[in-house]
Amino acid sequence: EVQLVESGGGSVQSGGSLRLSCAASGLTYSAYCVAWFRQAQGKEREGVAAIDSDDSTNYADSVKARYTISRDNAKTTLYLQMNSVKPEDSAIYYCAARAGPCTYGGVRFWMVSRAYNHWGQGTQVTVSS
């Protein structure tokens, strides 16, 4: 059974840093497109960053230059390094995996939530001003 387990969330002051991890099991991790999504209070879930099997990446405009997504295939773990965090970054962060590449047949699935097959339960990130 596929499992995704997030960790590393917590409270941090504005301008600080946080590193999230997502441990995956039960899937051929290296072949999956994997991503981070987040959902703030009263907001819809939105894509944050995604990384493909060839290490190609895609970021939401709001986090570019501040966040870095990476993957360790040997450890089947996904990471999100969050720097210079802002109160607007406060949300529950979810990792997700798609059973295939981030792009296929000319279609881009980087931050399309419905294109991801598996989801973690989320980890809370709270940024204080």
Side-chain angles (χ1 to χ4, degrees), residues 34-110:
V34 286
W36 289 97
F37 289 77
R38 68 186 181 187
Q39 186 167 20
Q41 280 285 329
K43 302 287 187 178
E44 292 294 314
R45 184 175 297 179
E46 63 176 349
V48 176
I51 184 167
D52 211 343
S53 57
D54 65 354
D55 283 348
S56 297
T57 58
N58 193 271
Y59 296 89
D61 288 342
S62 60
V63 306
K64 286 180 179 177
R66 298 190 298 118
Y67 289 14
T68 301
I69 188 171
S70 62
R71 64 192 297 166
D72 186 332
N73 291 338
K75 296 181 178 180
T76 64
T77 300
L78 176 70
Y79 302 98
L80 185 68
Q81 179 65 47
M82 306 165 60
N83 295 329
S84 302
V85 296
K86 306 174 181 179
E88 309 94 87
D89 294 323
S90 296
I92 300 175
Y93 283 70
Y94 300 89
C95 63
R98 166 178 163 77
C102 296
T103 64
Y104 189 78
V107 181
R108 300 168 60 84
F109 300 106
W110 298 100

